[in-house]
Amino acid sequence: MKYNSFQTPERRLLGAGPTNLYPEISKSLTKPEVGHLDPKFVEMMDEVKSMLRYLFQTKNEFTIAISAPGSAGMEASFVNLVEPGDKVIVCVNGLFGGRMVENVERIGGEAIVVNDEWGDPVSLDKLEDALKKNPDTSVVAFVHAETSTGVRSDAKEIAEIAKKYDCLVIADTVTSFTGIPVLTDEWGLDAVYSGSQKCLSCVPGLSPLTFSDKAIEKIKKRDSKIQSWFLDQTLVLDYWSGQGKRSYHHTAPINSIFALHEALRLACDETLENLWKRHFDAHLRLKKGLDEMSFDFVVEKQYRLPQMNSIHIPDGYDDFEIRTKLLNDYNLEIGAGLGKFAGKIWRIGLMGYNARNESVDYCLDSLKNVLNK
Ligand SMILES: *Cc1c(COP(=O)(O)O)cnc(C)c1O
């Protein structure tokens, strides 16, 4: 049996990530290989750290990219900051909040769940009630941009309430990072993670992560050993530390880090303010078109994520059939509903490279044609 090289179809990726790559990022993947302890590679890693600090808006010394996707950033935050028996309040208003609960329980922590309806933001009152009832809580965790529903929660207020009760704050910013403001230091977030394939439009498989000094203190004071060897951040501190001396922990995914460096460079060059504006402008253009086709948004206006637009599937249309037509006839991928929203909503992602007029117009035209609107 002889196999042919895989022929990639040229899709337009307007789902929940991955997105289409910036052309510069595609090019960066084919750079010649170097050793992951090569001084030139190490220099580049230092730039990765400093660019991540700007994009996370933090001075945190511990700011790195985990060699695994966003889910690993989530798991790293929990395994490092939660010990067996610790009480953790998890705000759940969608699929990814549910995964946080899984993480806490697998560690042997006690998860106190603050539930909100899918499509609603995290309720600040419910969070405060839960903290009043459980003043011995050590961590509050929430998803800033819930990709499964397209809702933005108020990270600043959540962190402020958590701090009143002396809790560390874990924030999932996988979809918010560089698409809407993520102000790590100003808001007082202690563990913040993201993913490479959402608003950075980089290849999947890397998870930017930053820990505050308070988070590092907690890790150093732990009684129990961190359950995961790979995600034990005390072991990679040496590798990422800027002191020049690197020791082997695991082989870095070198080419993916070339791509990440390029993605971060492009983001820094464009500046956060311009990135936020570009995502918002793309959203407004999409919204105008969707309004004209009488689509209803799932999320109330003030909580909508510009980079993740959830709309109800109109009566009389079959979810799978329409998405299959979009893919086959227009090479267009949009996101399906997840969990309790499966078959009920579509999620149109305008992330990074795709947050521009041309992608929006292509999406609207394709939808119009397929729905005969
Ligand atoms: C995509 C996503 C994740 C998981 O990231 P992967 O790279 O798929 O592991 C976690 N949280 C949120 C909010 C996400 O959108």
Side-chain angles (χ1 to χ4, degrees):
M1 178 86 190
K2 184 178 177 311
Y3 294 97
N4 295 316
S5 294
F6 176 58
Q7 299 298 307
T8 320
E10 288 213 21
R11 308 290 198 204
R12 196 174 296 247
L13 301 173
L14 303 187
T19 73
N20 297 96
L21 305 179
Y22 289 98
E24 293 92 333
I25 295 179
S26 305
K27 262 191 240 148
S28 73
L29 284 163
T30 57
K31 288 185 177 158
E33 206 64 2
V34 295
H36 70 122
L37 297 170
D38 190 294
K40 289 291 176 196
F41 187 73
V42 168
E43 253 176 64
M44 190 198 68
M45 299 269 269
D46 284 339
E47 287 188 356
V48 166
K49 284 168 52 174
S50 90
M51 290 191 285
L52 282 175
R53 283 194 195 102
Y54 162 65
L55 296 170
F56 273 127
Q57 291 286 285
T58 185
K59 295 199 167 67
N60 289 343
E61 175 61 29
F62 185 87
T63 304
I64 66 161
I66 301 237
S67 304
S71 305
M74 180 187 289
E75 192 146 340
S77 302
F78 284 94
V79 291
N80 284 273
L81 297 185
V82 177
E83 290 196 72
D86 280 356
K87 254 191 195 178
V88 180
I89 291 186
V90 184
C91 304
V92 179
N93 61 338
L95 181 102
F96 292 101
R99 283 195 187 172
M100 288 178 151
V101 175
E102 271 290 312
N103 270 276
V104 174
E105 288 175 348
R106 282 166 193 246
I107 291 163
E110 185 185 340
I112 313 239
V113 178
V114 172
N115 259 312
D116 280 291
E117 289 297 323
W118 282 44
D120 287 347
V122 169
S123 151
L124 302 174
D125 291 340
K126 285 189 199 169
L127 170 61
E128 182 130 29
D129 276 353
L131 280 162
K132 273 187 196 140
K133 281 186 202 135
N134 300 280
D136 52 340
T137 300
S138 55
V139 175
V140 168
F142 72 100
V143 179
H144 184 209
E146 185 45 86
T147 322
S148 60
T149 67
V151 80
R152 175 184 56 80
S153 287
D154 193 335
K156 179 173 185 271
E157 293 291 328
I158 292 171
E160 206 170 292
I161 295 168
K163 297 277 150 186
K164 274 205 292 193
Y165 295 83
D166 212 18
C167 293
L168 291 172
V169 181
I170 297 179
D172 177 315
T173 68
V174 175
T175 286
S176 48
F177 187 61
T178 72
I180 55 171
V182 173
L183 310 180
T184 302
D185 288 359
E186 195 182 313
W187 296 345
L189 309 174
D190 295 294
V192 188
Y193 58 88
S194 189
S196 45
Q197 80 279 26
K198 307 228 174 166
C199 292
L200 281 177
S201 283
C202 185
V203 292
L206 289 168
S207 179
L209 172 71
T210 185
F211 282 165
S212 70
D213 291 345
K214 261 179 81 183
I216 298 287
E217 240 173 73
K218 157 103 189 190
I219 296 171
K220 287 188 173 156
K221 282 204 304 241
R222 285 178 64 110
D223 297 323
S224 59
K225 211 165 169 174
I226 293 166
Q227 293 90 340
S228 163
W229 176 83
F230 187 67
L231 295 173
D232 178 343
Q233 295 308 298
T234 61
L235 302 176
V236 296
L237 278 174
D238 268 359
Y239 182 72
W240 279 93
S241 80
Q243 315 319 325
K245 192 174 138 283
R246 309 266 158 158
S247 55
Y248 169 73
H249 176 264
H250 65 275
T251 307
I254 293 158
N255 306 62
S256 298
I257 296 179
F258 290 158
L260 180 68
H261 182 276
E262 193 65 6
L264 299 174
R265 186 187 71 76
L266 291 170
C268 289
D269 211 38
E270 185 167 356
T271 77
L272 281 172
E273 288 75 12
N274 288 329
L275 279 161
W276 300 334
K277 182 172 187 309
R278 183 157 62 80
H279 282 87
F280 191 63
D281 289 347
H283 159 75
L284 289 182
R285 191 179 180 95
L286 179 74
K287 182 186 174 296
K288 187 165 172 287
L290 292 173
D291 285 348
E292 282 163 16
M293 287 193 267
S294 317
F295 277 106
D296 289 325
F297 274 77
V298 172
V299 174
E300 263 187 74
K301 192 170 167 200
Q302 71 264 40
Y303 306 119
R304 278 176 206 159
L305 291 168
Q307 63 271 51
M308 180 42 63
N309 298 269
S310 293
I311 49 174
H312 292 287
I313 300 175
D315 285 341
Y317 291 103
D318 182 74
D319 167 37
F320 188 71
E321 188 188 316
I322 302 289
R323 280 189 297 107
T324 305
K325 266 197 194 148
L326 287 171
L327 193 66
N328 291 343
D329 301 349
Y330 295 89
N331 270 315
L332 171 63
E333 178 184 292
I334 62 169
L338 297 175
K340 61 177 85 166
F341 278 161
K344 300 204 171 78
I345 70 165
W346 287 322
R347 296 176 303 144
I348 302 174
L350 300 173
M351 298 181 183
Y353 181 67
N354 289 326
R356 59 202 168 94
N357 293 349
E358 200 252 343
S359 299
V360 172
D361 296 347
Y362 188 85
C363 176
L364 289 169
D365 288 343
S366 309
L367 268 175
K368 259 181 216 151
N369 292 340
V370 170
L371 300 174
N372 293 314
K373 284 233 181 193

